[in-house]
Amino acid sequence: MAKLPSFRPCARLLALSILLANPAVRAQDDDARERESAGSTTVTAEEPEQVSGVEREPRGPFDTGRTVADWFLLIPRGAVELGFIATGTAAGLMEDEQVVPRVHDLFNPRSGQISVFPTLFMETGTDLNAGGRMIARSGPLATSVRVGYGGVRSLVAESRVRYHAAHWLPEVFTLESFHAATSGVSFLGLGQDPANDPRNHFLGSARKGLYDVRQERYIFSYGVRPIEHGEFLLSSSLNQRHLSNGAGTDRMRAVFELRDYDDALRVSRIVYSEASLRYDTRRTRGGPSPGYLAEVYAGYGGELGKTQSTRFAKTGGRLASFTRFGRTAGVLSPKIVVDTISPVGDTNVPFILLPSQSDFRGFNNRRDYVSLVGSLDYRWALARFFAARLFADIATVAPNTRELTLNGLRYAGGVGVDIFSRSTPLGSIATSFSPEGMRLLLRIGLAPTFGDRQHK
Amino acid sequence: MKRPFFWLFIGTALSGCYAHPARFSSAPPVRQIKDNALIQRPKVHRLHDAVELPDVYLRRPLVNQLRATAIARALDRNAYDELPSSSWFQPRPLDLDIFHQLTTVKGRPQGDLKILSVSLRHREMVLEDARQVRYILLVDPNQFPHSWSAAGIIAPRLAQAVGYHARETHLWRFDANRFAEPDLKRNAEIFLRRFDGKPVLATAYPGYDLGPTHMSTRRPGDKNDWFSPIDRRSLRALPLLALWLGLRSVGPKHTRDYFIGTPRNGYLRHYIDRLEHSLSLRSPRFVRERVDAVGDVSGNLLKNLWTLGLASRPPSVPGAYDDRLKGFSPRLNPTSYRMGRPYEPADFLRAEDAYWITKRMMRIPRGLIDHFIQESGITDHALRDQLAQTLEARRAILARHWFARVSPMEFVSLGEHLVLADNALVWSLANDYSTRYQVSFLDAEGVRLRPDTQLFPKHDSVTIPMPNAPGDYLIVRIQSQRGNHSPPPPAEFHFRLIHRTLKLVGIQH
C-alpha cells in the first residue's frame, strides 16, 4: 500500500501558532521555559530536605524577636496542648447520650472500636480533675471505663457495659459500677438559710462542716423507646457509702451537735429503684435546638442490714421548652426542676440523700427534702458546633412542698460557651455570678454525669 | 547580668540587624518527589466529632494565637516555587488527548457486577466489577437530571487539570441486567428496579479507601508522608479551588487517601473527593447534617457573639435538592470561602500559595473547560456556555484578588537582559499603563549591588538589564506597583554563576 504524504508536521505548526496566540496557553509553557533556563531534566527528590532547593532560609529583621517571644509563649501553649491531648478517637457511643438511641443510631453502629478520650473538669472551690474515658464497642455491646484524678482528695472510677437491641423497639440494658472517694466535702446544714434554720444545732457560730465520703454504686437499668421522642427507663441500684468526719477544726462533729448527724457518719447500703419517663422533641441535646422536654420520675429505696432501716421515696420532674427566638439562631429555654424525697414510716433520711440542686449553676450547697430550681437560658450559635449562652438561675429548698415559697430565693447568672457534636455536649466553659461570689466551670470531654442514669 | 530581660531585649534588638535573603543551591529544581516507596497498608482513618470538634474550635485557635513566629512557607514547593509531581499533586499537560490518557485508567464498570452496598436515601450504590474494581454509583435527583452527575464529571476533571488527584468519573447508563446475584437484599432490589436505564455517575475507587486525609498531622504508618498537612501548599490552597468550583463547603471530608497496591506492598495517593456536589449543588448528606445538628450558622463568629446571634439567620432546613446548575453564580467574594468546619491547612494559607493555585486555574484553556462540560452530558447549549463563562468569571475574580497580593512575575528568559512576564498583564487582570516595577540587585547576603531602578512593562513583560559583573550569586528583587495601591511583597529571582554562566536557581513570590 502506497504511503500517503503526512500532513502531521504542518498541522502541528498550525496548532502551535494558535496556541501561542492564546495567553493562557503561553503561560502554561512557563515550566518548560524554566526547565530550559536551568538546563535540567526531571530531577527526583529522595529526601524531604531536597525539595525546596533552599540552602539557607531567609531571615527577617523581626525573626529573632518573634522566636524569643515564641519561647516565652511555650509554657502557656504547652499547657493548652496538654489539656487537649486526644490520645485516640472517641466512638459513636458518645453520640448516644440519649439513654435509648433513636432508630437510625441503632442501625449505624461503629463497631470494633476502642477509643480513649481525655476529660478535664474544674470548678471554683474544687480541685482540677483530669482523667480519661475509654470506650469500646463491638456490635450491640459497648463498654466504657472512666478514671478521674483530682489529687488525693478526689478519685473517681466508673465502668459501664451497655447492650442495645432493636428487635421490635430500641431497647438498652446497662450495667454500671462507680467508685468515688472525696475528702473535705462541705455541708452547711439543712434549709434555705442554714444559719437560722432551727433544725440545725451548731456548736458555736454557724459555719460549714466538712466530711469525707467514699462510695461504691452499681446500677442496672433497662430503657426502651416506644415512640420517636419518648423513653421509658427502669433502674435499680445498690449504693454503699462510707461517710466519715472531715479533718481540721471544721469537721462535722466540731460544727454540729452530735445528735444531728452522727447517725449519717457511718457505712450505709441503700437499694433504690426508679422508673422515669422522658419526652424530648429536640433533634439534638448538644446544640441550641428547638423543642420541648418533659420528664418525671418516681423511686423507692431502703437501707440494707438494719432493723430501724431508712426507707424513702423520691419523686420529681423537669419541664423545659426550647423556643427559637424570633428569626434568629438563638434559642430561649425556660426550665423548672423539682426534686423531692420523703421518708417512709418513722425513719430518718440521711442528709447525703437529700436533693443537692445540681442544676443550679451558682454554689449548689443547699439541701432539704424539697428542691426547686428554675432557669432561663438564651443559647445562640456562634458557628457550627459552637454556641454561647447567657443564663439566670433561681433556687430554693424547703422541708416540704407546703413550705415551699419564693421568699429568700437564691439566684445566679452568667455566661458561657459550649462545644458539641451532632447530639452530645463535648465541652464548656462558663462563669456564674451570685451574691456568694463567682463560680468558674470548665469541662472538656464528656460530662461527669455521663452514664449516670438515676436521679441523685 | 542582674537584669536578664534587659540584656535579652538588647540581644534581640541587635540580632535584628542580622537579616539576609534565602540562598538556593545550584541543583536543578526538583520535578518529582519520590514518595511512593512500598509500605504496608496503614490503618483506616475515621473522623470523630468528639475529638475533631474540640480540636478545631478550641485547641487550634488558642494554640495558634500563642505562636509568635510568622507562618512559614510551604515545604512541598520546589526551587521555582512550583509543586513537583508527588502522591499529592500531579501537574498534567493540558493537551486534551494526553490529559485523557493520563486520567482515564479504570474506565467504566466491566463484566458482571456485584453489589456491595446500597443507600436509597443518598441514591448511591457501591459495586465491584469483573476486574474487582470498585465503583460508587450516584443517581441524579428525579427533578434535576444532569445535576450531580454533571458536576461529578466537570469538577474532578478541572481539579485534575489544576494538578490534584481526583477520582476517575464516568457517565454510565445503569443496567440492572448486569447484576447476576441470586439473593438480593430488599434495598438492592428497589435500587435496581427504580434506576434501571437511568444515567448515573460512576466513580472508580483508585485503591483501598483509607479514609479522610489527616489534616493536622502526618499519617501514622506512612513513611512517605514527608510533610505535615499544614506545610503542604496543595492543602493550604484547597479552599480556593473549592471556591472556584462552587463547592458549598470544604473540610477534611473532601480529601481522602487511597492505598495503591497489595496490603503488604503499596503506597498512598491523596485525592480530592466529593466533588459531585460542587457547582453550587447541595448534597443529600449535607441536608441531613443540617437537620441533625444545629446546622449552618451564617455570619462572622465574633459578630455572632456580640450581637447575641440576633444578626444571624436561623439554620434553615432546605427543601431537598432545590438547586440546579443554573444557580451557579459568576459572582463570588474571593476571601469568603465557607468551611464545613475549620480546615487546619487553610489557616496557614500565604499569599504566594493563593497566587500559585489561581495561576494554575488560569492556565486551563477555555477549550478544555468546554470539553469537560460537553462530557458531562448536558445537552442544553445555553447552559453549557453559561457554565463555562461562570467558571472563567470566577477564576478571574480569584486571580485578580490574589495577583494583587504578590508580585506575579514569572521567568521568561535570560541573556544580556532578564525578561520576566507579569501574569496580571498576561491575563489582562491589570492595566499596563498603571503598572511599574521597582527592581533591586542584591548579593547573597542581601547587600545592594547598585541603586534600585524603576522600569515599566512592555506589553505583558518587563526587560531588565543585568549587571556586568554580578558575582557568583545574584538576586533580582522586583516589586510590582499598580496605580496608587500599596505595593505587594516583591518576587525574588536567584541566579548562580555555574560554568561562567548565570543560571536561574530559585524563585520566591
Side-chain angles (χ1 to χ4, degrees), chain A residues 38 43 45 53 55-56 59 64 66 70 327 378 380 384, chain B residues 15 20 23 25 31-32 34 57 68 80 304 308 313-314 444:
Chain A
V43 177
E55 279 181 349
R56 182 189 64 187
R59 186 175 188 83
T64 308
R66 285 173 177 272
D70 211 43
R327 290 176 55 79
Y378 174 66
W380 70 102
R384 211 168 169 215
Chain B
S15 70
H20 55 71
R23 185 183 171 97
S25 73
R31 297 287 172 186
Q32 198 166 24
K34 189 173 168 45
Y57 284 109
Y80 284 1
N304 287 343
L308 304 184
R313 292 219 159 236

PDB file of all heavy atoms in Angstrom, chain A residues 38 43 45 53 55-56 59 64 66 70 327 378 380 384, chain B residues 15 20 23 25 31-32 34 57 68 80 304 308 313-314 444:
ATOM      1  N   ALA A  38      17.372  26.389  33.283  1.00  0.00           N
ATOM      2  CA  ALA A  38      18.258  25.744  34.237  1.00  0.00           C
ATOM      3  C   ALA A  38      18.990  24.566  33.630  1.00  0.00           C
ATOM      4  O   ALA A  38      19.839  23.966  34.271  1.00  0.00           O
ATOM      5  CB  ALA A  38      17.467  25.263  35.444  1.00  0.00           C
ATOM      6  N   VAL A  43      14.198  16.029  37.807  1.00  0.00           N
ATOM      7  CA  VAL A  43      15.002  15.754  38.991  1.00  0.00           C
ATOM      8  C   VAL A  43      14.066  15.199  40.070  1.00  0.00           C
ATOM      9  O   VAL A  43      13.008  15.754  40.314  1.00  0.00           O
ATOM     10  CB  VAL A  43      15.685  17.043  39.502  1.00  0.00           C
ATOM     11  CG1 VAL A  43      16.464  16.759  40.772  1.00  0.00           C
ATOM     12  CG2 VAL A  43      16.587  17.589  38.426  1.00  0.00           C
ATOM     13  N   ALA A  45      13.383  14.059  43.991  1.00  0.00           N
ATOM     14  CA  ALA A  45      13.847  14.230  45.369  1.00  0.00           C
ATOM     15  C   ALA A  45      13.706  12.915  46.105  1.00  0.00           C
ATOM     16  O   ALA A  45      12.642  12.292  46.076  1.00  0.00           O
ATOM     17  CB  ALA A  45      13.030  15.313  46.062  1.00  0.00           C
ATOM     18  N   GLY A  53      15.116  23.135  47.590  1.00  0.00           N
ATOM     19  CA  GLY A  53      16.362  23.629  46.994  1.00  0.00           C
ATOM     20  C   GLY A  53      16.976  24.789  47.760  1.00  0.00           C
ATOM     21  O   GLY A  53      17.901  25.429  47.262  1.00  0.00           O
ATOM     22  N   GLU A  55      19.287  26.346  50.423  1.00  0.00           N
ATOM     23  CA  GLU A  55      20.454  26.045  51.262  1.00  0.00           C
ATOM     24  C   GLU A  55      20.351  26.746  52.606  1.00  0.00           C
ATOM     25  O   GLU A  55      20.752  26.215  53.636  1.00  0.00           O
ATOM     26  CB  GLU A  55      21.728  26.564  50.577  1.00  0.00           C
ATOM     27  CG  GLU A  55      22.283  25.682  49.511  1.00  0.00           C
ATOM     28  CD  GLU A  55      23.547  26.275  48.920  1.00  0.00           C
ATOM     29  OE1 GLU A  55      23.879  27.462  49.190  1.00  0.00           O
ATOM     30  OE2 GLU A  55      24.188  25.562  48.166  1.00  0.00           O
ATOM     31  N   ARG A  56      19.839  27.957  52.566  1.00  0.00           N
ATOM     32  CA  ARG A  56      19.760  28.767  53.781  1.00  0.00           C
ATOM     33  C   ARG A  56      18.434  29.522  53.758  1.00  0.00           C
ATOM     34  O   ARG A  56      18.120  30.203  52.765  1.00  0.00           O
ATOM     35  CB  ARG A  56      20.929  29.758  53.787  1.00  0.00           C
ATOM     36  CG  ARG A  56      20.995  30.624  55.019  1.00  0.00           C
ATOM     37  CD  ARG A  56      22.029  31.719  54.855  1.00  0.00           C
ATOM     38  NE  ARG A  56      21.654  32.645  53.778  1.00  0.00           N
ATOM     39  CZ  ARG A  56      22.427  33.614  53.318  1.00  0.00           C
ATOM     40  NH1 ARG A  56      23.634  33.776  53.799  1.00  0.00           N
ATOM     41  NH2 ARG A  56      22.014  34.409  52.345  1.00  0.00           N
ATOM     42  N   ARG A  59      16.087  35.289  56.546  1.00  0.00           N
ATOM     43  CA  ARG A  59      15.926  35.743  57.936  1.00  0.00           C
ATOM     44  C   ARG A  59      15.569  37.226  57.901  1.00  0.00           C
ATOM     45  O   ARG A  59      16.310  38.040  57.339  1.00  0.00           O
ATOM     46  CB  ARG A  59      17.231  35.525  58.683  1.00  0.00           C
ATOM     47  CG  ARG A  59      17.147  35.820  60.148  1.00  0.00           C
ATOM     48  CD  ARG A  59      18.455  35.457  60.834  1.00  0.00           C
ATOM     49  NE  ARG A  59      18.291  35.580  62.265  1.00  0.00           N
ATOM     50  CZ  ARG A  59      17.758  34.641  63.010  1.00  0.00           C
ATOM     51  NH1 ARG A  59      17.360  33.514  62.482  1.00  0.00           N
ATOM     52  NH2 ARG A  59      17.629  34.812  64.312  1.00  0.00           N
ATOM     53  N   THR A  64      14.231  37.175  65.057  1.00  0.00           N
ATOM     54  CA  THR A  64      14.769  36.818  66.375  1.00  0.00           C
ATOM     55  C   THR A  64      13.781  37.214  67.473  1.00  0.00           C
ATOM     56  O   THR A  64      13.540  36.446  68.408  1.00  0.00           O
ATOM     57  CB  THR A  64      16.109  37.520  66.616  1.00  0.00           C
ATOM     58  OG1 THR A  64      16.952  37.243  65.511  1.00  0.00           O
ATOM     59  CG2 THR A  64      16.769  37.021  67.882  1.00  0.00           C
ATOM     60  N   ARG A  66      10.594  37.481  67.220  1.00  0.00           N
ATOM     61  CA  ARG A  66       9.466  36.545  67.179  1.00  0.00           C
ATOM     62  C   ARG A  66       9.832  35.223  67.851  1.00  0.00           C
ATOM     63  O   ARG A  66       9.032  34.641  68.588  1.00  0.00           O
ATOM     64  CB  ARG A  66       9.072  36.268  65.724  1.00  0.00           C
ATOM     65  CG  ARG A  66       8.315  37.403  65.050  1.00  0.00           C
ATOM     66  CD  ARG A  66       8.155  37.069  63.578  1.00  0.00           C
ATOM     67  NE  ARG A  66       7.400  38.050  62.844  1.00  0.00           N
ATOM     68  CZ  ARG A  66       6.076  38.033  62.731  1.00  0.00           C
ATOM     69  NH1 ARG A  66       5.392  37.089  63.322  1.00  0.00           N
ATOM     70  NH2 ARG A  66       5.446  38.951  62.023  1.00  0.00           N
ATOM     71  N   ASP A  70       8.218  33.586  71.047  1.00  0.00           N
ATOM     72  CA  ASP A  70       7.681  32.231  70.943  1.00  0.00           C
ATOM     73  C   ASP A  70       8.157  31.367  72.107  1.00  0.00           C
ATOM     74  O   ASP A  70       7.403  30.525  72.597  1.00  0.00           O
ATOM     75  CB  ASP A  70       8.135  31.624  69.608  1.00  0.00           C
ATOM     76  CG  ASP A  70       7.113  30.645  69.066  1.00  0.00           C
ATOM     77  OD1 ASP A  70       5.917  30.966  69.127  1.00  0.00           O
ATOM     78  OD2 ASP A  70       7.516  29.563  68.604  1.00  0.00           O
ATOM     79  N   ARG A 327     -36.492  35.349  64.429  1.00  0.00           N
ATOM     80  CA  ARG A 327     -35.958  34.742  63.206  1.00  0.00           C
ATOM     81  C   ARG A 327     -34.455  34.535  63.313  1.00  0.00           C
ATOM     82  O   ARG A 327     -33.750  34.485  62.321  1.00  0.00           O
ATOM     83  CB  ARG A 327     -36.278  35.657  62.013  1.00  0.00           C
ATOM     84  CG  ARG A 327     -37.746  35.677  61.659  1.00  0.00           C
ATOM     85  CD  ARG A 327     -38.015  36.659  60.546  1.00  0.00           C
ATOM     86  NE  ARG A 327     -37.184  36.410  59.364  1.00  0.00           N
ATOM     87  CZ  ARG A 327     -37.429  35.467  58.458  1.00  0.00           C
ATOM     88  NH1 ARG A 327     -38.470  34.679  58.599  1.00  0.00           N
ATOM     89  NH2 ARG A 327     -36.653  35.326  57.412  1.00  0.00           N
ATOM     90  N   TYR A 378     -30.480  31.584  77.386  1.00  0.00           N
ATOM     91  CA  TYR A 378     -30.536  32.006  75.989  1.00  0.00           C
ATOM     92  C   TYR A 378     -29.259  31.479  75.336  1.00  0.00           C
ATOM     93  O   TYR A 378     -28.151  31.861  75.715  1.00  0.00           O
ATOM     94  CB  TYR A 378     -30.614  33.532  75.881  1.00  0.00           C
ATOM     95  CG  TYR A 378     -30.533  34.010  74.437  1.00  0.00           C
ATOM     96  CD1 TYR A 378     -31.554  33.712  73.547  1.00  0.00           C
ATOM     97  CD2 TYR A 378     -29.443  34.730  73.975  1.00  0.00           C
ATOM     98  CE1 TYR A 378     -31.481  34.119  72.228  1.00  0.00           C
ATOM     99  CE2 TYR A 378     -29.360  35.149  72.657  1.00  0.00           C
ATOM    100  CZ  TYR A 378     -30.379  34.840  71.788  1.00  0.00           C
ATOM    101  OH  TYR A 378     -30.304  35.232  70.476  1.00  0.00           O
ATOM    102  N   TRP A 380     -27.175  30.749  71.745  1.00  0.00           N
ATOM    103  CA  TRP A 380     -27.160  31.092  70.331  1.00  0.00           C
ATOM    104  C   TRP A 380     -25.891  30.535  69.683  1.00  0.00           C
ATOM    105  O   TRP A 380     -24.846  30.446  70.329  1.00  0.00           O
ATOM    106  CB  TRP A 380     -27.285  32.595  70.113  1.00  0.00           C
ATOM    107  CG  TRP A 380     -26.108  33.432  70.511  1.00  0.00           C
ATOM    108  CD1 TRP A 380     -25.175  33.954  69.679  1.00  0.00           C
ATOM    109  CD2 TRP A 380     -25.765  33.884  71.833  1.00  0.00           C
ATOM    110  NE1 TRP A 380     -24.259  34.699  70.393  1.00  0.00           N
ATOM    111  CE2 TRP A 380     -24.596  34.672  71.719  1.00  0.00           C
ATOM    112  CE3 TRP A 380     -26.310  33.695  73.099  1.00  0.00           C
ATOM    113  CZ2 TRP A 380     -23.987  35.265  72.809  1.00  0.00           C
ATOM    114  CZ3 TRP A 380     -25.684  34.278  74.180  1.00  0.00           C
ATOM    115  CH2 TRP A 380     -24.550  35.058  74.028  1.00  0.00           C
ATOM    116  N   ARG A 384     -20.866  26.567  63.545  1.00  0.00           N
ATOM    117  CA  ARG A 384     -21.396  25.221  63.604  1.00  0.00           C
ATOM    118  C   ARG A 384     -20.718  24.474  64.757  1.00  0.00           C
ATOM    119  O   ARG A 384     -19.502  24.518  64.887  1.00  0.00           O
ATOM    120  CB  ARG A 384     -21.098  24.519  62.285  1.00  0.00           C
ATOM    121  CG  ARG A 384     -22.118  23.524  61.912  1.00  0.00           C
ATOM    122  CD  ARG A 384     -21.884  23.120  60.498  1.00  0.00           C
ATOM    123  NE  ARG A 384     -22.711  21.969  60.214  1.00  0.00           N
ATOM    124  CZ  ARG A 384     -22.350  21.001  59.417  1.00  0.00           C
ATOM    125  NH1 ARG A 384     -21.200  21.064  58.807  1.00  0.00           N
ATOM    126  NH2 ARG A 384     -23.143  19.997  59.197  1.00  0.00           N
TER     127      ARG A 384
ATOM    128  N   SER B  15      20.220  41.451  67.197  1.00  0.00           N
ATOM    129  CA  SER B  15      20.166  40.356  66.224  1.00  0.00           C
ATOM    130  C   SER B  15      19.281  40.717  65.038  1.00  0.00           C
ATOM    131  O   SER B  15      19.390  40.130  63.971  1.00  0.00           O
ATOM    132  CB  SER B  15      19.647  39.079  66.884  1.00  0.00           C
ATOM    133  OG  SER B  15      18.282  39.246  67.176  1.00  0.00           O
ATOM    134  N   HIS B  20      19.035  38.381  56.232  1.00  0.00           N
ATOM    135  CA  HIS B  20      19.579  38.014  54.920  1.00  0.00           C
ATOM    136  C   HIS B  20      18.501  37.306  54.106  1.00  0.00           C
ATOM    137  O   HIS B  20      17.562  36.722  54.676  1.00  0.00           O
ATOM    138  CB  HIS B  20      20.809  37.111  55.088  1.00  0.00           C
ATOM    139  CG  HIS B  20      20.554  35.899  55.920  1.00  0.00           C
ATOM    140  ND1 HIS B  20      19.790  34.835  55.503  1.00  0.00           N
ATOM    141  CD2 HIS B  20      20.965  35.575  57.166  1.00  0.00           C
ATOM    142  CE1 HIS B  20      19.739  33.929  56.440  1.00  0.00           C
ATOM    143  NE2 HIS B  20      20.431  34.356  57.467  1.00  0.00           N
ATOM    144  N   ARG B  23      18.994  31.515  50.301  1.00  0.00           N
ATOM    145  CA  ARG B  23      20.053  31.152  49.371  1.00  0.00           C
ATOM    146  C   ARG B  23      19.711  29.767  48.810  1.00  0.00           C
ATOM    147  O   ARG B  23      19.477  28.822  49.559  1.00  0.00           O
ATOM    148  CB  ARG B  23      21.402  31.126  50.095  1.00  0.00           C
ATOM    149  CG  ARG B  23      22.580  30.872  49.186  1.00  0.00           C
ATOM    150  CD  ARG B  23      23.841  30.804  50.035  1.00  0.00           C
ATOM    151  NE  ARG B  23      24.972  30.347  49.243  1.00  0.00           N
ATOM    152  CZ  ARG B  23      25.854  31.166  48.689  1.00  0.00           C
ATOM    153  NH1 ARG B  23      25.759  32.469  48.851  1.00  0.00           N
ATOM    154  NH2 ARG B  23      26.854  30.679  47.983  1.00  0.00           N
ATOM    155  N   SER B  25      20.491  26.356  46.407  1.00  0.00           N
ATOM    156  CA  SER B  25      21.616  25.548  45.936  1.00  0.00           C
ATOM    157  C   SER B  25      21.660  25.602  44.407  1.00  0.00           C
ATOM    158  O   SER B  25      20.715  26.065  43.764  1.00  0.00           O
ATOM    159  CB  SER B  25      21.443  24.104  46.408  1.00  0.00           C
ATOM    160  OG  SER B  25      20.414  23.497  45.667  1.00  0.00           O
ATOM    161  N   ARG B  31      11.525  18.086  40.186  1.00  0.00           N
ATOM    162  CA  ARG B  31      10.270  17.973  39.424  1.00  0.00           C
ATOM    163  C   ARG B  31       9.415  16.811  39.900  1.00  0.00           C
ATOM    164  O   ARG B  31       8.291  16.655  39.478  1.00  0.00           O
ATOM    165  CB  ARG B  31      10.586  17.770  37.934  1.00  0.00           C
ATOM    166  CG  ARG B  31      11.306  18.923  37.307  1.00  0.00           C
ATOM    167  CD  ARG B  31      10.376  20.100  37.118  1.00  0.00           C
ATOM    168  NE  ARG B  31      11.103  21.276  36.681  1.00  0.00           N
ATOM    169  CZ  ARG B  31      10.567  22.465  36.552  1.00  0.00           C
ATOM    170  NH1 ARG B  31       9.303  22.660  36.834  1.00  0.00           N
ATOM    171  NH2 ARG B  31      11.287  23.487  36.164  1.00  0.00           N
ATOM    172  N   GLN B  32      10.022  15.971  40.712  1.00  0.00           N
ATOM    173  CA  GLN B  32       9.297  14.786  41.153  1.00  0.00           C
ATOM    174  C   GLN B  32       9.723  14.460  42.587  1.00  0.00           C
ATOM    175  O   GLN B  32      10.911  14.558  42.908  1.00  0.00           O
ATOM    176  CB  GLN B  32       9.658  13.623  40.243  1.00  0.00           C
ATOM    177  CG  GLN B  32       8.695  12.483  40.315  1.00  0.00           C
ATOM    178  CD  GLN B  32       8.900  11.510  39.160  1.00  0.00           C
ATOM    179  OE1 GLN B  32       9.983  11.426  38.578  1.00  0.00           O
ATOM    180  NE2 GLN B  32       7.871  10.790  38.825  1.00  0.00           N
ATOM    181  N   LYS B  34       9.871  11.472  45.306  1.00  0.00           N
ATOM    182  CA  LYS B  34       9.759  10.007  45.375  1.00  0.00           C
ATOM    183  C   LYS B  34       9.095   9.624  46.698  1.00  0.00           C
ATOM    184  O   LYS B  34       9.759   9.205  47.653  1.00  0.00           O
ATOM    185  CB  LYS B  34      11.150   9.383  45.262  1.00  0.00           C
ATOM    186  CG  LYS B  34      11.124   7.867  45.116  1.00  0.00           C
ATOM    187  CD  LYS B  34      12.501   7.329  44.849  1.00  0.00           C
ATOM    188  CE  LYS B  34      12.575   5.818  44.985  1.00  0.00           C
ATOM    189  NZ  LYS B  34      11.492   5.084  44.363  1.00  0.00           N
ATOM    190  N   TYR B  57     -12.124  23.830  67.137  1.00  0.00           N
ATOM    191  CA  TYR B  57     -12.753  25.063  67.621  1.00  0.00           C
ATOM    192  C   TYR B  57     -12.084  25.646  68.857  1.00  0.00           C
ATOM    193  O   TYR B  57     -12.221  26.818  69.135  1.00  0.00           O
ATOM    194  CB  TYR B  57     -14.235  24.825  67.934  1.00  0.00           C
ATOM    195  CG  TYR B  57     -15.092  24.750  66.701  1.00  0.00           C
ATOM    196  CD1 TYR B  57     -15.648  23.560  66.291  1.00  0.00           C
ATOM    197  CD2 TYR B  57     -15.336  25.887  65.940  1.00  0.00           C
ATOM    198  CE1 TYR B  57     -16.436  23.493  65.159  1.00  0.00           C
ATOM    199  CE2 TYR B  57     -16.121  25.831  64.808  1.00  0.00           C
ATOM    200  CZ  TYR B  57     -16.668  24.627  64.426  1.00  0.00           C
ATOM    201  OH  TYR B  57     -17.440  24.578  63.306  1.00  0.00           O
ATOM    202  N   ALA B  68       4.175  33.167  68.123  1.00  0.00           N
ATOM    203  CA  ALA B  68       4.647  34.496  67.723  1.00  0.00           C
ATOM    204  C   ALA B  68       5.363  34.452  66.376  1.00  0.00           C
ATOM    205  O   ALA B  68       5.539  35.483  65.736  1.00  0.00           O
ATOM    206  CB  ALA B  68       5.585  35.047  68.791  1.00  0.00           C
ATOM    207  N   TYR B  80      11.630  26.566  42.071  1.00  0.00           N
ATOM    208  CA  TYR B  80      10.942  27.510  41.175  1.00  0.00           C
ATOM    209  C   TYR B  80       9.552  27.873  41.684  1.00  0.00           C
ATOM    210  O   TYR B  80       8.725  28.359  40.932  1.00  0.00           O
ATOM    211  CB  TYR B  80      10.834  26.924  39.769  1.00  0.00           C
ATOM    212  CG  TYR B  80      12.142  26.973  38.993  1.00  0.00           C
ATOM    213  CD1 TYR B  80      13.298  27.485  39.558  1.00  0.00           C
ATOM    214  CD2 TYR B  80      12.204  26.511  37.685  1.00  0.00           C
ATOM    215  CE1 TYR B  80      14.487  27.525  38.855  1.00  0.00           C
ATOM    216  CE2 TYR B  80      13.394  26.555  36.974  1.00  0.00           C
ATOM    217  CZ  TYR B  80      14.535  27.059  37.565  1.00  0.00           C
ATOM    218  OH  TYR B  80      15.713  27.102  36.874  1.00  0.00           O
ATOM    219  N   ASN B 304     -21.416  37.286  65.656  1.00  0.00           N
ATOM    220  CA  ASN B 304     -22.487  36.493  66.260  1.00  0.00           C
ATOM    221  C   ASN B 304     -22.423  36.554  67.781  1.00  0.00           C
ATOM    222  O   ASN B 304     -23.452  36.558  68.459  1.00  0.00           O
ATOM    223  CB  ASN B 304     -22.395  35.040  65.801  1.00  0.00           C
ATOM    224  CG  ASN B 304     -22.827  34.871  64.367  1.00  0.00           C
ATOM    225  OD1 ASN B 304     -23.484  35.744  63.810  1.00  0.00           O
ATOM    226  ND2 ASN B 304     -22.441  33.776  63.758  1.00  0.00           N
ATOM    227  N   LEU B 308     -25.348  38.586  70.087  1.00  0.00           N
ATOM    228  CA  LEU B 308     -26.149  37.537  70.727  1.00  0.00           C
ATOM    229  C   LEU B 308     -26.886  36.695  69.696  1.00  0.00           C
ATOM    230  O   LEU B 308     -27.963  36.154  69.964  1.00  0.00           O
ATOM    231  CB  LEU B 308     -27.155  38.131  71.710  1.00  0.00           C
ATOM    232  CG  LEU B 308     -26.614  39.027  72.813  1.00  0.00           C
ATOM    233  CD1 LEU B 308     -27.741  39.445  73.745  1.00  0.00           C
ATOM    234  CD2 LEU B 308     -25.525  38.342  73.613  1.00  0.00           C
ATOM    235  N   ARG B 313     -29.151  34.540  60.706  1.00  0.00           N
ATOM    236  CA  ARG B 313     -30.403  33.847  60.405  1.00  0.00           C
ATOM    237  C   ARG B 313     -30.413  32.479  61.074  1.00  0.00           C
ATOM    238  O   ARG B 313     -29.375  31.895  61.330  1.00  0.00           O
ATOM    239  CB  ARG B 313     -30.541  33.675  58.897  1.00  0.00           C
ATOM    240  CG  ARG B 313     -30.739  34.970  58.176  1.00  0.00           C
ATOM    241  CD  ARG B 313     -31.739  34.789  57.066  1.00  0.00           C
ATOM    242  NE  ARG B 313     -32.286  36.104  56.716  1.00  0.00           N
ATOM    243  CZ  ARG B 313     -33.572  36.352  56.734  1.00  0.00           C
ATOM    244  NH1 ARG B 313     -34.410  35.426  57.094  1.00  0.00           N
ATOM    245  NH2 ARG B 313     -34.020  37.537  56.392  1.00  0.00           N
ATOM    246  N   PRO B 314     -31.571  31.928  61.340  1.00  0.00           N
ATOM    247  CA  PRO B 314     -31.591  30.597  61.943  1.00  0.00           C
ATOM    248  C   PRO B 314     -31.134  29.559  60.932  1.00  0.00           C
ATOM    249  O   PRO B 314     -31.227  29.785  59.729  1.00  0.00           O
ATOM    250  CB  PRO B 314     -33.065  30.393  62.281  1.00  0.00           C
ATOM    251  CG  PRO B 314     -33.794  31.266  61.341  1.00  0.00           C
ATOM    252  CD  PRO B 314     -32.918  32.448  61.095  1.00  0.00           C
ATOM    253  N   ALA B 444      24.335  37.608  47.743  1.00  0.00           N
ATOM    254  CA  ALA B 444      23.786  36.515  48.549  1.00  0.00           C
ATOM    255  C   ALA B 444      23.433  36.949  49.965  1.00  0.00           C
ATOM    256  O   ALA B 444      22.570  36.354  50.613  1.00  0.00           O
ATOM    257  CB  ALA B 444      24.788  35.370  48.609  1.00  0.00           C
TER     258      ALA B 444
END
